[in-house]
């Protein structure tokens, strides 16, 4: 390996090691997602289910019902 490339590689490796050590010794404080992530997810899923349940029950959609035989043509007027 060329001396310049080897020196650059060691500098990069040393920088990564320093960053890893710095993060390892730092006290971990919970973020918003650590604290409330599950509750926000469950709240959103509950809201989604409630809204779509309301929509489907108030629209009175008849699923898969064919109009054949129930619709009769009206008389032709001239």
């Amino acid at each position: 390996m060329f001396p310049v490339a080897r020196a650059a590689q060691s500098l990069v490796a040393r920088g990564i090691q320093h960053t890893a050590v710095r993060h390892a010794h730092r006290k971990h404080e919970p973020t918003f997602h650590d604290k409330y992530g599950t509750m926000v997810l469950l709240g959103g899923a509950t809201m989604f289910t409630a809204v779509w349940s309301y929509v489907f029950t108030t629209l009175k959609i008849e699923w898969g019902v064919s109009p054949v035989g129930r619709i009769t043509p009206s008389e032709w007027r001239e």
Side-chain angles (χ1 to χ4, degrees):
M1 198 178 251
F2 297 111
V4 175
R6 192 174 357 167
Q9 184 181 15
S10 68
L11 281 176
V12 170
R14 204 172 320 142
I16 292 172
Q17 288 172 346
H18 284 293
T19 303
V21 168
R22 193 170 42 229
H23 285 289
H25 292 295
R26 188 171 59 170
K27 185 179 178 183
H28 176 69
E29 296 177 5
T31 62
F32 176 83
H33 298 289
D34 293 335
K35 288 182 181 178
Y36 308 110
T38 305
M39 292 308 294
V40 169
L41 180 67
L42 290 176
T46 304
M47 196 67 183
F48 177 85
T49 304
V51 167
W52 281 108
S53 299
Y54 175 78
V55 168
F56 285 137
T57 55
T58 57
L59 287 180
K60 297 186 176 156
I61 297 174
E62 296 180 15
W63 299 101
V65 178
S66 175
V68 174
R70 291 191 305 147
I71 299 174
T72 57
S74 59
E75 291 293 324
W76 184 260
R77 286 186 271 170
E78 291 189 33

